[in-house]
Amino acid sequence: MMTCAIIDDDEINRLTLEHYVELTPNLKLVASLNDGIAGLTFFREGNKVDMLFLDIEMPHLSGLELLRVLTNPPEVIITTARQDFAVDAFELRVTDYLVKPFDFARFTQAVQRVASRRAPGAAPVADIPTSADLFVKVNSRMVRIDFDEVLYVEALSDYVNIVTPKHKYIVYTTLKSLETRLGSFPNFMRVHRSYLLNTQHIESIEDNTANLSGGHFVPIGKSYQEAFFKGLQRI
């Protein structure tokens, strides 16, 4: 059984979340609060939960401000009507970012993501697989990318090039940072000092080069080959 709390001053969304929790096996609601100050008091009194559904825009203390003052926050799922806080939220290492209004399927994906990040042996909460989607900032826009569709990610100095079958996204971040964000998704492997590879899209491997769907090629660095080929044996 996993426990959760809700901190959201949007009453309709809070009630929706409470209903979704009731519909989710092995998920127990411990507290449902309507502002950040109440949330801060809840945690400072020593209360603990496995996950927190947290709104951002709240009076007196915003969700992001609350996260910055908590010394040991639980897994956090942001619930907000705004897309433009996503970069700040993921810098605070939130687990997922839900944009209102969201449906029960998307809620379940976020809960499953928390379950997958818990200690080995934890029972999954739901059967719906997690979609590895994140918001990234491309120029002045926030873009949602489904990382299941990503072929590979290439390091470009202080930027990365995220390549999908239809698009290329130049994003201001490091390959190491993106690798950390995708740490709970085993299909992504570091195969070169400059490349992250989605093994789902490998069609063949020849001469230490991965041939991907759509005619893309990614080199497999010498120092990464042993771990890479061992990883393929588990796929």
Side-chain angles (χ1 to χ4, degrees):
M1 176 70 70
M2 293 198 301
T3 57
C4 68
I6 299 167
I7 304 175
D8 195 326
D9 74 338
D10 180 340
E11 183 177 4
I12 294 177
N13 194 66
R14 193 169 63 254
L15 291 173
T16 299
L17 284 167
E18 291 174 4
H19 179 58
Y20 286 172
V21 171
E22 289 179 358
L23 294 175
T24 305
N26 300 323
L27 185 60
K28 178 182 178 181
L29 181 63
V30 174
S32 183
L33 309 169
N34 62 4
D35 65 72
I37 296 296
L40 181 60
T41 301
F42 173 80
F43 286 107
R44 284 186 170 174
E45 288 177 347
N47 295 293
K48 295 182 179 180
V49 292
D50 297 309
M51 75 182 76
L52 172 63
F53 297 96
L54 181 64
D55 195 7
I56 290 181
E57 293 185 295
M58 296 183 290
H60 309 302
L61 187 70
S62 75
L64 296 184
E65 290 169 339
L66 174 61
L67 279 184
R68 291 188 179 102
V69 299
L70 292 179
T71 56
N72 188 25
E75 300 280 350
V76 175
I77 299 170
I78 293 294
T79 59
T80 179
R82 299 276 298 273
Q83 296 187 9
D84 50 331
F85 289 112
V87 171
D88 292 335
F90 281 113
E91 286 178 351
L92 291 170
R93 307 185 69 81
V94 304
T95 304
D96 210 336
Y97 193 99
L98 307 186
V99 179
K100 304 174 187 177
F102 47 85
D103 59 18
F104 181 62
R106 183 67 183 89
F107 167 89
T108 304
Q109 288 177 351
V111 172
Q112 183 63 44
R113 179 170 295 173
V114 172
S116 70
R117 289 164 62 103
R118 298 178 68 215
V125 174
D127 294 327
I128 299 177
T130 300
S131 175
D133 57 297
L134 293 175
F135 283 97
V136 296
K137 190 171 185 178
V138 180
N139 297 323
S140 60
R141 297 183 301 125
M142 295 302 303
V143 178
R144 184 194 293 273
I145 298 179
D146 183 347
F147 275 83
D148 288 335
E149 297 182 355
V150 171
L151 300 172
Y152 64 91
V153 183
E154 179 185 8
L156 302 172
S157 186
D158 294 330
Y159 293 80
V160 295
N161 181 24
I162 301 174
V163 180
T164 73
K166 296 181 179 180
H167 302 284
K168 293 183 179 181
Y169 303 95
I170 305 298
V171 180
Y172 181 66
T173 189
T174 64
L175 194 65
K176 180 63 177 177
S177 176
L178 198 55
E179 182 181 15
T180 299
R181 290 191 189 184
L182 294 170
S184 60
F185 300 99
N187 290 324
F188 280 88
M189 299 181 67
R190 185 74 170 263
V191 297
H192 189 278
R193 64 188 300 270
S194 299
Y195 289 92
L196 273 175
L197 173 64
N198 187 344
T199 57
Q200 294 181 101
H201 297 288
I202 296 176
E203 293 188 342
S204 63
I205 301 170
E206 184 177 1
D207 296 330
N208 293 320
T209 297
N211 305 318
L212 309 182
S213 54
H216 297 269
F217 303 92
V218 171
I220 304 168
K222 186 175 181 180
S223 61
Y224 296 87
Q225 290 172 12
E226 181 178 357
F228 172 70
F229 287 111
K230 283 183 179 179
L232 287 184
Q233 293 172 7
R234 296 193 297 269
I235 296 172

